[in-house]
Coordinates of all heavy atoms in Angstrom, one line a residue:
M9 N 63.2 96.8 62.3 CA 62.1 97.3 61.5 C 61.5 96.2 60.6 O 62.3 95.4 60.1 CB 62.5 98.5 60.6 CG 62.6 99.8 61.4 SD 62.8 101.2 60.3 CE 64.5 100.9 59.7
S10 N 60.3 96.4 60.2 CA 59.6 95.4 59.3 C 59.8 95.8 57.9 O 60.2 97.0 57.6 CB 58.2 95.3 59.7 OG 57.5 96.5 59.3
A11 N 59.5 94.9 57.0 CA 59.5 95.3 55.6 C 58.6 96.4 55.2 O 58.9 97.2 54.4 CB 59.2 94.0 54.7
F12 N 57.4 96.4 55.9 CA 56.4 97.5 55.7 C 57.0 98.8 56.0 O 56.9 99.8 55.2 CB 55.2 97.2 56.5 CG 54.3 98.4 56.6 CD1 53.4 98.7 55.5 CD2 54.2 99.2 57.7 CE1 52.6 99.8 55.6 CE2 53.4 100.3 57.7 CZ 52.5 100.6 56.7
V13 N 57.6 99.0 57.2 CA 58.2 100.3 57.6 C 59.4 100.6 56.7 O 59.6 101.8 56.3 CB 58.6 100.3 59.1 CG1 59.3 101.5 59.5 CG2 57.4 100.1 59.9
D14 N 60.2 99.6 56.4 CA 61.4 99.9 55.5 C 60.9 100.4 54.1 O 61.5 101.4 53.6 CB 62.2 98.6 55.3 CG 63.0 98.2 56.5 OD1 63.2 99.0 57.4 OD2 63.3 97.0 56.6
E15 N 59.9 99.8 53.5 CA 59.4 100.2 52.2 C 58.8 101.6 52.3 O 59.1 102.5 51.4 CB 58.4 99.2 51.7 CG 57.9 99.6 50.3 CD 56.9 98.5 49.9 OE1 57.0 97.4 50.2 OE2 55.9 98.9 49.1
Y16 N 58.0 101.8 53.3 CA 57.4 103.1 53.5 C 58.4 104.2 53.7 O 58.4 105.3 53.0 CB 56.5 103.1 54.7 CG 56.1 104.4 55.2 CD1 55.1 105.2 54.6 CD2 56.6 105.0 56.4 CE1 54.7 106.4 55.0 CE2 56.2 106.2 56.9 CZ 55.3 107.0 56.2 OH 54.9 108.2 56.6
M17 N 59.4 104.0 54.5 CA 60.5 105.0 54.7 C 61.3 105.2 53.5 O 61.7 106.4 53.2 CB 61.4 104.6 55.9 CG 60.7 104.7 57.3 SD 60.0 106.3 57.6 CE 61.4 107.4 57.6
A18 N 61.6 104.2 52.7 CA 62.4 104.4 51.5 C 61.6 105.4 50.5 O 62.2 106.3 50.0 CB 62.6 103.1 50.8
K19 N 60.3 105.2 50.4 CA 59.5 106.0 49.5 C 59.5 107.5 50.1 O 59.6 108.4 49.3 CB 58.1 105.5 49.4 CG 58.0 104.2 48.6 CD 56.6 103.7 48.5 CE 56.5 102.4 47.8 NZ 55.1 101.9 47.9
L20 N 59.3 107.6 51.4 CA 59.2 108.9 52.0 C 60.5 109.7 51.9 O 60.5 110.8 51.6 CB 58.8 108.7 53.5 CG 58.6 110.0 54.2 CD1 57.1 110.4 54.0 CD2 58.9 109.8 55.7
K21 N 61.6 109.0 52.1 CA 62.9 109.7 52.0 C 63.3 110.0 50.6 O 63.9 111.1 50.3 CB 64.0 108.8 52.5 CG 64.0 108.7 54.1 CD 65.1 107.7 54.6 CE 65.0 107.6 56.1 NZ 66.0 106.7 56.7
A22 N 62.8 109.2 49.6 CA 63.0 109.6 48.2 C 62.2 110.8 47.8 O 62.7 111.7 47.0 CB 62.7 108.4 47.3
K23 N 61.0 110.9 48.3 CA 60.1 112.0 48.0 C 60.5 113.3 48.8 O 60.3 114.4 48.3 CB 58.7 111.6 48.3 CG 57.7 112.6 47.8 CD 56.3 112.1 48.1 CE 55.2 113.0 47.5 NZ 53.9 112.6 47.8
N24 N 61.0 113.2 50.0 CA 61.4 114.3 50.8 C 62.8 114.2 51.3 O 63.0 114.0 52.5 CB 60.4 114.4 52.0 CG 59.0 114.4 51.6 OD1 58.5 115.5 51.2 ND2 58.2 113.3 51.8
P25 N 63.8 114.4 50.4 CA 65.2 114.2 50.9 C 65.6 115.4 51.7 O 65.0 116.4 51.8 CB 65.9 114.2 49.5 CG 65.1 115.0 48.6 CD 63.7 114.7 49.0
N26 N 66.7 115.1 52.5 CA 67.3 116.2 53.3 C 66.4 116.8 54.4 O 66.5 117.9 54.7 CB 67.9 117.3 52.4 CG 68.9 116.8 51.4 OD1 69.7 116.0 51.7 ND2 68.7 117.3 50.1
E27 N 65.6 115.9 55.0 CA 64.7 116.4 56.0 C 64.8 115.3 57.2 O 63.8 114.6 57.4 CB 63.3 116.6 55.5 CG 63.1 117.6 54.5 CD 61.7 117.9 54.1 OE1 60.8 117.8 55.0 OE2 61.5 118.1 52.9
P28 N 65.9 115.2 57.8 CA 66.1 114.1 58.8 C 65.1 114.2 60.0 O 64.7 113.1 60.5 CB 67.5 114.3 59.3 CG 67.9 115.7 59.0 CD 67.1 116.1 57.7
E29 N 64.7 115.4 60.4 CA 63.8 115.5 61.6 C 62.4 114.9 61.1 O 61.7 114.2 61.9 CB 63.6 116.9 62.1 CG 64.9 117.5 62.7 CD 65.8 118.1 61.7 OE1 65.5 118.2 60.5 OE2 66.9 118.6 62.1
F30 N 62.0 115.3 59.9 CA 60.7 114.8 59.4 C 60.8 113.2 59.2 O 59.8 112.5 59.6 CB 60.4 115.4 58.0 CG 59.2 114.9 57.4 CD1 58.0 115.1 57.9 CD2 59.3 114.2 56.1 CE1 56.8 114.6 57.3 CE2 58.2 113.7 55.5 CZ 56.9 113.9 56.1
H31 N 61.9 112.7 58.7 CA 62.1 111.3 58.6 C 62.0 110.6 59.9 O 61.3 109.5 60.0 CB 63.4 110.9 57.9 CG 63.6 111.5 56.6 ND1 64.9 111.7 56.0 CD2 62.8 112.0 55.7 CE1 64.8 112.3 54.8 NE2 63.5 112.5 54.6
Q32 N 62.6 111.1 60.9 CA 62.5 110.5 62.3 C 61.1 110.5 62.8 O 60.6 109.5 63.3 CB 63.4 111.3 63.2 CG 63.4 110.7 64.6 CD 64.3 111.4 65.6 OE1 65.0 112.4 65.2 NE2 64.2 111.1 66.9
A33 N 60.4 111.6 62.7 CA 59.0 111.7 63.2 C 58.1 110.7 62.4 O 57.3 110.0 63.0 CB 58.5 113.1 63.0
A34 N 58.3 110.6 61.1 CA 57.5 109.7 60.3 C 57.8 108.3 60.6 O 56.9 107.4 60.6 CB 57.8 110.0 58.8
M35 N 59.0 108.0 60.9 CA 59.4 106.6 61.3 C 58.7 106.2 62.6 O 58.2 105.1 62.7 CB 60.9 106.4 61.4 CG 61.2 104.9 61.7 SD 63.0 104.6 61.8 CE 63.6 105.2 60.3
E36 N 58.7 107.1 63.5 CA 58.1 106.8 64.8 C 56.6 106.6 64.7 O 56.1 105.7 65.3 CB 58.4 108.0 65.8 CG 59.8 108.0 66.2 CD 60.1 109.3 67.1 OE1 59.2 109.9 67.6 OE2 61.3 109.6 67.3
V37 N 56.0 107.4 63.8 CA 54.5 107.2 63.6 C 54.3 105.8 62.9 O 53.4 105.1 63.3 CB 54.0 108.3 62.8 CG1 52.5 108.0 62.3 CG2 54.0 109.6 63.6
A38 N 55.1 105.5 61.9 CA 54.9 104.3 61.1 C 55.1 103.1 62.0 O 54.3 102.1 61.9 CB 55.9 104.3 59.9
E39 N 56.1 103.1 62.8 CA 56.4 102.0 63.7 C 55.3 101.8 64.7 O 54.9 100.7 65.1 CB 57.7 102.2 64.4 CG 58.9 102.0 63.5 CD 60.2 102.3 64.2 OE1 60.3 103.0 65.2 OE2 61.3 101.8 63.7
S40 N 54.7 102.9 65.2 CA 53.6 102.8 66.2 C 52.3 102.4 65.6 O 51.5 101.7 66.3 CB 53.5 104.1 67.0 OG 53.0 105.1 66.1
L41 N 52.1 102.7 64.3 CA 50.9 102.3 63.7 C 50.9 101.0 62.9 O 49.9 100.5 62.3 CB 50.4 103.4 62.7 CG 50.0 104.7 63.3 CD1 49.7 105.7 62.3 CD2 48.8 104.5 64.3
E42 N 52.1 100.4 62.9 CA 52.3 99.2 62.1 C 51.4 98.1 62.4 O 50.8 97.4 61.5 CB 53.8 98.7 62.2 CG 54.1 97.5 61.4 CD 55.6 97.2 61.6 OE1 56.3 97.7 62.5 OE2 56.1 96.4 60.7
V43 N 51.2 97.8 63.7 CA 50.3 96.7 64.1 C 48.8 97.0 63.7 O 48.1 96.1 63.3 CB 50.4 96.5 65.7 CG1 49.3 95.5 66.2 CG2 51.8 96.1 66.1
V44 N 48.4 98.3 63.9 CA 47.0 98.6 63.5 C 46.8 98.5 62.0 O 45.8 97.9 61.6 CB 46.8 100.1 63.9 CG1 45.4 100.6 63.4 CG2 46.9 100.3 65.4
I45 N 47.8 98.9 61.2 CA 47.7 98.8 59.8 C 47.7 97.3 59.3 O 46.9 96.9 58.4 CB 48.7 99.6 59.1 CG1 48.5 101.1 59.3 CG2 48.8 99.3 57.6 CD1 49.6 102.0 58.9
A46 N 48.5 96.5 60.0 CA 48.5 95.1 59.7 C 47.2 94.4 60.0 O 46.8 93.5 59.2 CB 49.7 94.4 60.5
K47 N 46.5 94.8 61.1 CA 45.3 94.2 61.4 C 44.1 94.7 60.6 O 43.0 94.1 60.5 CB 45.0 94.4 62.9 CG 45.8 93.6 63.8 CD 45.5 93.9 65.3 CE 46.3 93.0 66.2 NZ 46.0 93.3 67.6
N48 N 44.3 95.9 60.0 CA 43.2 96.5 59.2 C 43.7 96.9 57.9 O 44.1 98.0 57.6 CB 42.7 97.8 60.0 CG 42.1 97.5 61.3 OD1 41.0 97.0 61.4 ND2 42.9 97.8 62.4
P49 N 43.7 96.0 56.9 CA 44.2 96.2 55.6 C 43.5 97.4 54.9 O 44.1 98.0 54.0 CB 43.9 94.9 54.8 CG 43.6 93.9 55.8 CD 43.1 94.6 57.1
K50 N 42.4 97.8 55.3 CA 41.7 99.0 54.6 C 42.5 100.2 54.8 O 42.5 101.1 53.9 CB 40.3 99.2 55.2 CG 40.3 99.6 56.7 CD 38.9 99.7 57.2 CE 38.9 100.0 58.7 NZ 37.6 100.1 59.3
Y51 N 43.3 100.4 55.9 CA 44.2 101.5 56.0 C 45.3 101.5 55.0 O 45.6 102.6 54.5 CB 44.7 101.6 57.5 CG 43.7 101.8 58.5 CD1 43.7 101.0 59.7 CD2 42.6 102.7 58.4 CE1 42.7 101.2 60.7 CE2 41.6 102.8 59.4 CZ 41.7 102.1 60.5 OH 40.8 102.2 61.5
S52 N 45.8 100.4 54.8 CA 46.9 100.3 53.8 C 46.3 100.5 52.4 O 46.9 101.1 51.5 CB 47.5 98.9 53.9 OG 48.5 98.8 52.9
D53 N 45.1 99.9 52.1 CA 44.5 100.0 50.8 C 44.2 101.5 50.4 O 44.3 101.9 49.3 CB 43.2 99.2 50.7 CG 43.4 97.7 50.9 OD1 44.6 97.3 50.7 OD2 42.4 97.0 51.2
H54 N 43.8 102.2 51.5 CA 43.5 103.7 51.2 C 44.7 104.6 51.4 O 44.5 105.8 51.4 CB 42.3 104.1 52.1 CG 41.0 103.4 51.8 ND1 40.3 103.7 50.7 CD2 40.4 102.4 52.4 CE1 39.2 103.0 50.6 NE2 39.2 102.1 51.7
K55 N 45.8 104.0 51.7 CA 47.1 104.8 51.8 C 47.0 105.8 52.9 O 47.4 107.0 52.7 CB 47.5 105.4 50.5 CG 47.8 104.3 49.4 CD 48.3 104.9 48.2 CE 48.5 103.9 47.1 NZ 49.6 103.0 47.3
I56 N 46.4 105.5 54.0 CA 46.2 106.4 55.1 C 47.5 106.9 55.6 O 47.7 108.1 55.8 CB 45.4 105.8 56.3 CG1 44.0 105.4 55.8 CG2 45.3 106.7 57.5 CD1 43.1 106.5 55.3
L57 N 48.5 106.1 55.9 CA 49.8 106.5 56.4 C 50.5 107.5 55.4 O 51.0 108.5 55.9 CB 50.7 105.3 56.7 CG 52.0 105.5 57.4 CD1 51.7 106.2 58.7 CD2 52.8 104.2 57.6
E58 N 50.4 107.2 54.2 CA 51.1 108.1 53.2 C 50.4 109.4 53.2 O 51.0 110.5 53.0 CB 51.0 107.5 51.8 CG 51.9 106.3 51.6 CD 51.3 104.9 52.1 OE1 50.2 104.9 52.6 OE2 51.9 103.9 51.8
R59 N 49.1 109.4 53.3 CA 48.3 110.7 53.3 C 48.5 111.5 54.5 O 48.6 112.8 54.4 CB 46.8 110.4 53.1 CG 46.5 109.8 51.7 CD 45.2 109.2 51.6 NE 44.1 110.0 52.0 CZ 42.9 109.5 52.1 NH1 42.6 108.3 51.9 NH2 41.9 110.3 52.5
I60 N 48.6 110.9 55.7 CA 48.9 111.7 56.9 C 50.3 112.2 57.0 O 50.6 113.1 57.8 CB 48.4 111.0 58.2 CG1 49.3 109.8 58.5 CG2 46.9 110.7 58.1 CD1 49.0 109.1 59.9
S61 N 51.2 111.6 56.3 CA 52.6 112.0 56.4 C 53.0 112.9 55.3 O 54.2 113.2 55.1 CB 53.5 110.7 56.4 OG 53.4 110.0 55.2
E62 N 52.1 113.5 54.5 CA 52.4 114.4 53.5 C 52.6 115.8 54.2 O 51.7 116.3 54.8 CB 51.3 114.5 52.5 CG 51.5 115.5 51.3 CD 52.6 115.0 50.4 OE1 52.8 113.8 50.3 OE2 53.3 115.9 49.9
P63 N 53.9 116.3 54.1 CA 54.1 117.6 54.8 C 53.4 118.8 54.1 O 53.2 118.8 52.9 CB 55.6 117.8 54.6 CG 56.0 117.0 53.4 CD 55.0 115.8 53.4
E64 N 52.9 119.7 54.9 CA 52.3 120.9 54.4 C 53.3 121.8 53.9 O 54.3 122.1 54.5 CB 51.5 121.6 55.6 CG 50.7 122.8 55.2 CD 49.5 122.4 54.3 OE1 49.0 121.3 54.5 OE2 49.1 123.3 53.5
R65 N 53.0 122.3 52.7 CA 53.9 123.2 52.0 C 53.2 124.6 51.8 O 52.0 124.6 51.4 CB 54.3 122.7 50.6 CG 54.9 121.3 50.7 CD 56.4 121.3 50.8 NE 56.9 120.0 50.5 CZ 57.8 119.4 51.2 NH1 58.3 120.0 52.2 NH2 58.2 118.2 50.9
V66 N 53.8 125.6 52.2 CA 53.2 127.0 52.0 C 54.2 127.8 51.2 O 55.4 127.9 51.6 CB 52.9 127.6 53.4 CG1 52.3 129.0 53.2 CG2 51.9 126.8 54.1
I67 N 53.7 128.4 50.2 CA 54.5 129.3 49.4 C 54.0 130.7 49.7 O 52.8 131.0 49.5 CB 54.5 129.0 47.9 CG1 55.0 127.6 47.7 CG2 55.2 130.0 47.1 CD1 54.7 127.0 46.3
M68 N 54.9 131.6 50.1 CA 54.5 133.0 50.4 C 55.3 133.9 49.5 O 56.5 133.7 49.2 CB 54.8 133.3 51.8 CG 53.9 132.5 52.8 SD 54.1 133.0 54.5 CE 53.4 134.7 54.5
F69 N 54.6 134.9 49.0 CA 55.3 136.0 48.2 C 54.6 137.3 48.3 O 53.4 137.3 48.8 CB 55.4 135.5 46.7 CG 54.1 135.2 46.1 CD1 53.4 136.2 45.3 CD2 53.6 133.9 46.2 CE1 52.2 135.9 44.7 CE2 52.4 133.6 45.6 CZ 51.7 134.6 44.8
R70 N 55.2 138.4 48.0 CA 54.6 139.7 48.1 C 54.4 140.3 46.7 O 55.2 140.1 45.8 CB 55.6 140.6 48.9 CG 55.0 141.9 49.3 CD 55.9 142.6 50.3 NE 55.8 141.9 51.6 CZ 54.8 141.9 52.5 NH1 53.8 142.6 52.3 NH2 54.9 141.2 53.6
V71 N 53.2 140.9 46.5 CA 52.8 141.5 45.2 C 52.8 143.0 45.4 O 52.0 143.5 46.1 CB 51.5 141.0 44.8 CG1 51.1 141.6 43.5 CG2 51.5 139.5 44.6
P72 N 53.8 143.7 44.8 CA 53.7 145.2 44.9 C 52.8 145.7 43.8 O 52.6 145.2 42.7 CB 55.2 145.6 44.5 CG 55.7 144.5 43.7 CD 55.0 143.2 44.2
W73 N 52.1 146.8 44.2 CA 51.1 147.4 43.2 C 51.0 148.9 43.6 O 51.4 149.4 44.7 CB 49.8 146.7 43.2 CG 49.2 146.5 44.6 CD1 49.5 145.6 45.5 CD2 48.1 147.2 45.1 NE1 48.7 145.7 46.6 CE2 47.8 146.7 46.4 CE3 47.3 148.3 44.7 CZ2 46.8 147.2 47.2 CZ3 46.3 148.8 45.5 CH2 46.1 148.2 46.8
V74 N 50.4 149.7 42.7 CA 50.2 151.1 42.9 C 48.6 151.3 42.9 O 47.9 150.9 42.0 CB 50.8 152.0 41.8 CG1 50.5 153.4 42.0 CG2 52.3 151.7 41.7
D75 N 48.2 152.0 44.0 CA 46.7 152.2 44.1 C 46.2 153.3 43.2 O 47.0 154.0 42.6 CB 46.3 152.3 45.6 CG 46.8 153.6 46.2 OD1 47.3 154.5 45.5 OD2 46.7 153.7 47.5
D76 N 45.0 153.6 43.3 CA 44.4 154.7 42.5 C 44.9 156.1 42.8 O 44.8 157.0 42.0 CB 42.8 154.7 42.6 CG 42.2 153.5 42.0 OD1 42.9 152.9 41.1 OD2 41.1 153.1 42.3
K77 N 45.4 156.3 44.0 CA 46.0 157.6 44.4 C 47.5 157.7 44.1 O 48.1 158.6 44.4 CB 45.8 157.7 45.9 CG 44.4 157.8 46.4 CD 44.3 158.0 47.9 CE 42.8 158.0 48.3 NZ 42.7 158.1 49.7
G78 N 48.0 156.6 43.4 CA 49.5 156.7 43.1 C 50.4 156.2 44.2 O 51.6 156.3 44.0
E79 N 49.9 155.7 45.2 CA 50.7 155.2 46.4 C 51.1 153.8 46.1 O 50.3 152.9 45.7 CB 49.9 155.3 47.7 CG 49.6 156.8 48.1 CD 48.9 156.8 49.4 OE1 49.1 155.9 50.2 OE2 48.2 157.8 49.6
S80 N 52.4 153.5 46.4 CA 52.9 152.1 46.3 C 52.4 151.3 47.5 O 52.5 151.8 48.6 CB 54.4 152.1 46.3 OG 54.9 152.8 45.1
R81 N 52.0 150.1 47.2 CA 51.5 149.2 48.2 C 52.0 147.8 47.9 O 52.5 147.6 46.8 CB 50.0 149.2 48.3 CG 49.4 150.5 48.7 CD 47.9 150.4 48.7 NE 47.3 151.6 49.2 CZ 46.7 151.7 50.3 NH1 46.6 150.7 51.2 NH2 46.1 152.9 50.7
S82 N 51.9 146.9 48.9 CA 52.2 145.5 48.6 C 51.3 144.7 49.4 O 50.8 145.0 50.5 CB 53.7 145.2 48.9 OG 53.9 145.4 50.3
T83 N 51.0 143.5 48.9 CA 50.1 142.6 49.5 C 50.8 141.2 49.6 O 51.4 140.7 48.7 CB 48.8 142.4 48.7 OG1 48.2 143.7 48.5 CG2 47.9 141.4 49.3
A84 N 50.8 140.6 50.8 CA 51.4 139.3 51.0 C 50.3 138.3 50.5 O 49.1 138.3 50.8 CB 51.7 139.1 52.5
V85 N 50.8 137.3 49.8 CA 50.0 136.2 49.3 C 50.6 134.9 49.7 O 51.8 134.7 49.6 CB 49.9 136.3 47.7 CG1 49.0 135.2 47.2 CG2 49.4 137.7 47.3
S86 N 49.8 133.9 50.1 CA 50.3 132.6 50.4 C 49.4 131.6 49.7 O 48.2 131.8 49.5 CB 50.3 132.4 51.9 OG 49.0 132.4 52.4
A87 N 50.0 130.5 49.4 CA 49.3 129.4 48.7 C 49.8 128.1 49.4 O 51.0 127.9 49.5 CB 49.5 129.4 47.2
S88 N 48.8 127.2 49.7 CA 49.2 125.9 50.3 C 49.2 124.9 49.2 O 48.4 124.9 48.2 CB 48.2 125.5 51.3 OG 48.2 126.3 52.4
R89 N 50.0 123.9 49.3 CA 50.1 122.8 48.4 C 49.5 121.6 49.1 O 49.5 121.3 50.2 CB 51.5 122.5 48.0 CG 51.6 121.4 47.1 CD 53.0 121.0 46.8 NE 53.0 119.6 46.5 CZ 53.8 118.7 47.1 NH1 54.7 119.1 48.0 NH2 53.7 117.5 46.9

């Protein structure tokens, strides 16, 4: 591995610990894009690799409530990060 991939993976693992499958997938992408990023510094300057490797997080919870007729209901709510 190059210093670029080593540094990228160290930051990624520190930010997302205990996710070995994610680490492996991110490493494969970083290694395959390394030549492209080296030839086009604008991708590195704009942190494209870091931005595409941000995992999607979804938080879901249920909100119980009582309607106007006195019936108990609940609504599922989700929020993306």
